[in-house]
Amino acid sequence: LIISFIFAMLPLIIFNKQLAGKFFKLIFNLTVVNNVKGKIEKNFEDFYDGVSQLIDIRLIIPGLLTCIAYAVLVCQAYILVLSIGQDINIITVSYLMAITSIVTFIPITVSGIGTRDSVLIYLFSILGLTQENALVFSFLIFITLYFFNGIIGAIYFYIKPILLTKSR
């Protein structure tokens, strides 16, 4: 719960320079030795100069859409967990999906097949669940969240294709 709270507050701390300055100054004074303080302060200023260039009001809508898409993904995964008869709470399912989503980015398999399975077997073992349940859950994720969504996307693309133009 504490880690979730910290991660929820992290964007507020990072994007608000005054709040971040107070937070990091406290940590900075407690942990950093005097001979490197000047160098770290310069890097802190460089970081916030870069972040301020990236932050734009136009990013609010894509950010909200990303949050909604992830919430839908977690709800779908939660329904899949319930369908295989496992009683895992939705917060744990969100952690499972976040970890497996990161692992599936490793470019060694197609659609994360194998890597997702391995990670879910490990994570399910931590939760005291069987390998079989992990593999069934992984297969259901692949079929429902990747395969069927891909088919739906292909149908919509066939109906109304996106015309690619040269960007400037």
Side-chain angles (χ1 to χ4, degrees), residues 1-72:
L1 187 61
I2 292 170
I3 291 171
S4 297
F5 178 75
I6 290 170
F7 277 114
M9 297 306 293
L10 198 58
L12 296 174
I13 292 171
I14 288 175
F15 296 133
N16 185 332
K17 190 172 183 177
Q18 289 85 16
L19 184 61
K22 290 176 184 175
F23 177 74
F24 288 122
K25 189 170 203 148
L26 174 68
I27 293 173
F28 184 75
N29 288 330
L30 293 173
T31 59
V32 177
V33 291
N34 289 332
N35 58 351
V36 294
K37 281 189 177 183
K39 192 176 197 180
I40 292 177
E41 286 174 347
K42 169 133 178 38
N43 289 339
F44 180 78
E45 289 297 323
D46 289 344
F47 171 76
Y48 272 99
D49 290 341
V51 167
S52 65
Q53 292 174 6
L54 290 175
I55 296 174
D56 191 353
I57 194 77
R58 294 176 289 177
L59 294 178
I60 291 175
I61 292 175
L64 288 174
L65 290 174
T66 301
C67 290
I68 291 169
Y70 190 75
V72 168

Side-chain angles (χ1 to χ4, degrees), residues 84-86 120 124 128-139:
I84 61 173
Q86 299 305 310
L120 284 173
F124 270 46
L129 302 173
T130 65
Q131 293 180 23
E132 293 80 11
N133 284 333
L135 290 174
V136 168
F137 180 58
S138 180
F139 180 73

Side-chain angles (χ1 to χ4, degrees), residues 106-130:
I106 299 172
I108 58 174
T109 65
V110 176
S111 295
I113 297 172
T115 54
R116 179 180 42 255
D117 302 336
S118 300
V119 168
L120 284 173
I121 287 171
Y122 174 72
L123 294 173
F124 270 46
S125 70
I126 291 172
L127 297 172
L129 302 173
T130 65

